Amino acid sequence: MHIRQFAERATLSAALGLSLLGFGITTATADTSTSLPISSYRDIAVDAAHQHVFLSDPFGGNVVVTDYVGQVVQQFSGEAGAWGMALSSDSRTLYVALRDAGEIAAIDTATLQETARYDTGTGAGAYAGPTSLALAGGKIWFGYSTDTWNGALGSLDLNGAQPVVTRGQGLDTFRGAPRLAATPQHPDTLVAAESDGNYATVAVYDVSAGQADAQAKRVNPGPDGCESLQDLALTPDAGQVVVACAAAHYHQVLRTADLSDDGIYTTSWSPSAVAIAPDGTVAAGVRGASGPDVQLFTPGNSTAFTAWDFPPPSDYATTTLESAGLAWAPDGSRIFAVTEDSNSSSLTLRVLNHPQVATTVTVQAPASSPRNQDLTLTGKLKASVGFGAGSTVDIWRLDDPAAGEGTLIGSAPVAADGTFSYTDRPRAKGDVQYTVQYYGDARHAYAYGTVTVNITSD
């Protein structure tokens, strides 16, 4: 059963007298699912510039490319042990960790051609080659194993005339190749975490000086502990890291500064994946059979505001979310999820279109104000999902509400907390009605609010 709660769209009543000709409301599209031509999976990357999704197939040695609805458009073979991936900040290059080749491949995202390979010097294979990638501090960082019982961090610097590889950082910290997480808003912070099936080790590094300077470290973090780490994600402000640990009963939040416990997201047994949108919305997924497979949370709110439960393929089979099997489209309009059919072990890419959430607009103004004097309107947008940079509202003025005709007098920026203000200087006497319109976006429904002010003599 699909447990999505779609927001109803608000519309202006005829009494407002505002023409909405030319105004478009984004329509939520249906979710899709597509069978993938691969038999293993490790990582996913989303390229918004070309609307492509990249998926790695380590045991088949492939990288598959789909469009935003899940249709396969390209498949790279010969990518031995394709494991972790990272997209450059300009979306021009996808970097792929090739564990079984001991290399990092570079793929041009416009031409979908491999353009280079870089030897990491780690050696190749299960206990040597690079497995996880992250872009931080102007370098490509990779996690790798030094032997069967230890892991470390390395970096690839492509800023000079020749590639420079540095290895052997974070030694004596990890018992295997660590997973990495970074965020473009705070590029000098790198988080690494590893689990050998027992207790995970999480470490935070400052990489601004070119090397991994340890800032915090914790073994078996979280109120439930962290056995069998499956995934981790860093919040856009780099203030928190969310971990998905298979033996826990919920997704656990750690404060990046010292890795102390900093809350939970209430999911269910066996968390397997986590992805965080640029506005901080958390997508948390589980592999367990109880409860929804994927849930969405606003930052700091432990209760989900929407969820998906994937239907089983048959009465005697289950559909499970893959480890690290979630990724956001950068505009927050959809989530990509990789699932497995227990009957056939076949993999599916599911495109989960984010439903627009209900949005309200409140407007405040003085009950009366002199004409030809500044009059300030204040207000706030409210929704269960935050508002990104660049959001605006339009302000309409009806000098005679009975006449039913209005004028668009300006627009106002919306702050991150949803507040806005606008100053007008009305000239007509009598009741003046102000209407504030928010046109919505991929994640918020259209909304409006009104207020009437009595304009008096000078």
Side-chain angles (χ1 to χ4, degrees), residues 302-328:
S302 63
T303 302
F305 65 86
T306 196
W308 288 261
D309 197 7
F310 304 136
S314 66
D315 292 340
Y316 303 101
T318 58
T319 298
T320 56
L321 181 69
E322 289 288 278
S323 173
L326 291 175
W328 282 93

Side-chain angles (χ1 to χ4, degrees), residues 4 9 67 107 169 209 259 311 341 417 443 448:
R4 301 178 59 178
R9 303 190 183 282
D67 59 20
I107 294 174
Q169 302 189 63
L259 293 176
D341 177 348
D417 62 357
R443 309 182 68 183
Y448 72 93

Side-chain angles (χ1 to χ4, degrees), residues 221-227 242-253 261 263-274 284-286 295 297 302:
D224 262 10
C226 185
E227 295 180 39
V242 182
V243 294
C245 308
H249 291 82
Y250 35 70
H251 284 65
Q252 302 175 107
V253 184
D261 298 343
I264 64 170
Y265 290 108
T266 307
T267 49
S268 63
W269 177 255
S270 197
S272 61
V274 58
V286 300
Q295 299 182 70
F297 301 82
S302 63

Side-chain angles (χ1 to χ4, degrees), residues 24-383:
I25 297 177
T26 303
T27 302
T29 55
D31 295 347
T32 61
S33 61
T34 305
S35 295
L36 295 170
I38 54 177
S39 57
S40 67
Y41 164 82
R42 278 301 178 274
D43 201 8
I44 184 170
V46 182
D47 171 16
H50 305 96
Q51 295 208 336
H52 284 154
V53 181
F54 297 86
L55 303 108
S56 64
D57 169 23
F59 302 130
N62 299 298
V63 173
V64 170
V65 189
T66 78
D67 59 20
Y68 262 25
V69 296
Q71 297 301 309
V72 176
V73 298
Q74 178 86 333
Q75 182 168 337
F76 296 88
S77 58
E79 307 292 322
W83 214 267
M85 299 185 292
L87 189 67
S88 65
S89 58
D90 60 8
S91 293
R92 292 182 178 180
T93 307
L94 177 78
Y95 297 101
V96 185
L98 305 180
R99 187 195 69 173
D100 297 345
E103 298 172 323
I104 295 173
I107 294 174
D108 186 310
T109 56
T111 64
L112 295 180
Q113 299 291 322
E114 184 179 305
T115 57
R117 288 201 180 187
Y118 305 99
D119 187 353
T120 62
T122 62
Y127 300 107
T131 58
S132 183
L133 298 181
L135 272 61
K139 297 182 179 182
I140 304 165
W141 290 84
F142 57 90
Y144 67 102
S145 295
T146 57
D147 53 41
T148 56
W149 298 107
N150 296 282
L153 300 173
S155 65
L156 170 63
D157 188 350
L158 298 178
N159 294 307
Q162 296 295 325
V164 176
V165 174
T166 303
R167 297 180 300 277
Q169 302 189 63
L171 292 171
D172 302 321
T173 301
F174 307 107
R175 293 170 292 180
R179 295 176 181 262
L180 307 182
T183 179
Q185 292 92 325
H186 289 264
D188 292 335
T189 299
L190 178 69
V191 178
E194 166 275 329
S195 179
D196 63 354
N198 293 318
Y199 302 129
T201 298
V202 181
V204 179
Y205 298 93
D206 180 351
V207 295
S208 59
Q211 69 272 350
D213 294 324
Q215 305 296 300
K217 173 184 171 182
R218 188 176 173 191
V219 178
N220 198 30
D224 262 10
C226 185
E227 295 180 39
S228 187
L229 178 83
Q230 301 296 303
D231 201 5
L232 75 160
L234 192 60
T235 56
D237 65 0
Q240 296 175 320
V241 57
V242 182
V243 294
C245 308
H249 291 82
Y250 35 70
H251 284 65
Q252 302 175 107
V253 184
L254 309 175
R255 185 177 293 109
T256 311
D258 56 8
L259 293 176
S260 59
D261 298 343
D262 202 23
I264 64 170
Y265 290 108
T266 307
T267 49
S268 63
W269 177 255
S270 197
S272 61
V274 58
I276 303 178
D279 70 354
T281 304
V282 176
V286 300
R287 194 175 179 85
S290 62
D293 294 284
V294 177
Q295 299 182 70
L296 301 188
F297 301 82
T298 54
N301 190 335
S302 63
T303 302
F305 65 86
T306 196
W308 288 261
D309 197 7
F310 304 136
S314 66
D315 292 340
Y316 303 101
T318 58
T319 298
T320 56
L321 181 69
E322 289 288 278
S323 173
L326 291 175
W328 282 93
D331 66 357
S333 63
R334 66 201 76 195
I335 303 153
F336 302 96
V338 182
T339 62
E340 180 181 352
D341 177 348
S342 64
N343 263 356
S344 62
S345 297
S346 61
L347 298 174
T348 297
L349 177 62
R350 299 175 183 272
V351 183
L352 312 177
N353 289 286
H354 191 325
Q356 288 183 319
V357 297
T359 306
T360 60
V361 179
T362 57
V363 190
Q364 295 86 36
S368 63
S369 180
R371 72 184 186 123
N372 295 319
Q373 299 293 320
D374 285 350
L375 165 63
T376 299
L377 309 173
T378 60
K380 187 171 186 177
L381 302 184
K382 292 184 179 180

